[in-house]
Amino acid sequence: MFVVQSTSAPVNEHLMELLIMIDALKRASARTINIVMPYYGYARQDRKARSREPITSKLIADLLETAGADRVITLDLHAAQIQGFFNIPIDHLVGVKILSEHFIEKNLEDVVVVSPDHGGVTRARMLADRLKAPIAIIDKRRPRPNVAEVMNIVGNVEGKTAILIDDIIDTAGTITLAANAMMENGAKEVYACCTHPVLSGPAIERIDNSKIKELAVTNSIPLSEEKQSPKSHSFR
């Protein structure tokens, strides 16, 4: 059996639905239960940043296993080491191939792929290799959750078409701040892309008011009408 369920908002409701479906299949004598989870909810809580914090992504892995899942197929985990939280097979797929094909079709010139932080360099390198482009990195400091502060840009973006890539865009603070920094440092235009468009709170307003020309996202998370933007392009 294959169960397809993203655990996006409302995350607890979707997660509980998934666990109940797994339990129902297990009790119906399903030989194998494979979970296709394009968006893995709670993935960003993968370590203890402060004392007495939970590691919720590990808890989700335990819940899926206990319910009866035999395999998990997911897309662009926030941290690749989450795969180690499972004692069952897990297939970790990436969205870079889909995103890269979109930008190849656009025939952009003088492209530079930009990672909005140090943690996304591997992802940026994968996209850059497909586009045969150089990369740049934003040295970012986050003083508190969902608040980003651009520090420095490592690499040359002057006169180039910048493509920002991230795994998740939540409140869009990081990506819009990065886009504005690109333009201030001489970029010709700025595109942005991500695998998981969480787009919570002021995200759409920030994107609409930013220097981003286009935001390309996958449909790993269903986008409601209020999360649509004239600048966004979603792959169906």
Side-chain angles (χ1 to χ4, degrees), residues 11-223:
V11 59
N12 293 335
E13 183 176 322
H14 286 153
L15 181 61
M16 200 64 208
E17 285 177 354
L18 178 59
L19 295 173
I20 291 171
M21 284 189 284
I22 294 170
D23 183 72
L25 292 170
K26 184 179 179 181
R27 294 175 188 279
S29 301
R31 186 172 62 183
T32 58
I33 302 170
N34 303 276
I35 308 306
V36 182
M37 186 187 294
Y39 177 67
Y40 187 97
Y42 290 110
R44 284 179 287 180
Q45 190 64 51
D46 61 344
R47 60 190 173 86
K48 287 179 66 174
R50 298 184 183 88
S51 300
R52 296 175 296 280
E53 281 190 345
I55 304 179
T56 320
S57 56
K58 166 61 174 169
L59 174 62
I60 300 303
D62 290 343
L63 288 171
L64 293 172
E65 288 187 44
T66 301
D70 295 298
R71 178 182 292 270
V72 173
I73 303 163
T74 189
L75 184 64
D76 272 328
L77 289 169
H78 186 64
Q81 58 265 30
I82 291 174
Q83 297 172 81
F85 291 168
F86 289 85
N87 295 312
I88 57 175
I90 177 167
D91 296 304
H92 183 211
L93 309 180
V94 295
V96 166
K97 185 177 186 296
I98 298 170
L99 297 170
S100 64
E101 288 173 355
H102 171 70
F103 289 111
I104 289 170
E105 290 173 2
K106 296 181 80 69
N107 291 317
L108 300 173
E109 296 181 354
D110 295 325
V111 170
V112 58
V113 178
V114 184
S115 172
D117 52 37
H118 293 284
V121 172
T122 301
R123 189 178 302 107
R125 172 60 65 192
M126 291 173 64
L127 180 60
D129 287 345
R130 288 181 173 273
L131 299 181
K132 296 179 173 57
I135 70 168
I137 305 164
I138 293 179
D139 179 25
K140 179 191 71 175
R141 184 175 66 187
R142 191 184 291 277
R144 57 185 183 277
N146 285 335
V147 176
E149 179 182 342
V150 169
M151 301 296 289
N152 297 294
I153 297 172
V154 181
N156 180 31
V157 299
E158 188 173 356
K160 294 183 178 291
T161 300
I163 301 176
L164 285 156
I165 181 169
D166 212 344
D167 61 329
I168 297 171
I169 295 180
D170 188 356
T171 60
T174 295
I175 210 79
T176 54
L177 199 62
N180 295 341
M182 292 295 104
M183 295 301 289
E184 289 169 7
N185 282 268
K188 186 167 56 178
E189 53 187 7
V190 179
Y191 292 80
C193 61
C194 77
T195 304
H196 306 302
V198 175
L199 301 178
S200 64
I204 295 301
E205 182 182 355
R206 285 176 173 173
I207 291 167
D208 288 342
N209 296 328
S210 73
K211 302 293 185 181
I212 295 173
K213 184 173 182 179
E214 180 191 77
L215 171 64
V217 302
T218 76
N219 61 350
S220 67
I221 296 175
L223 293 180

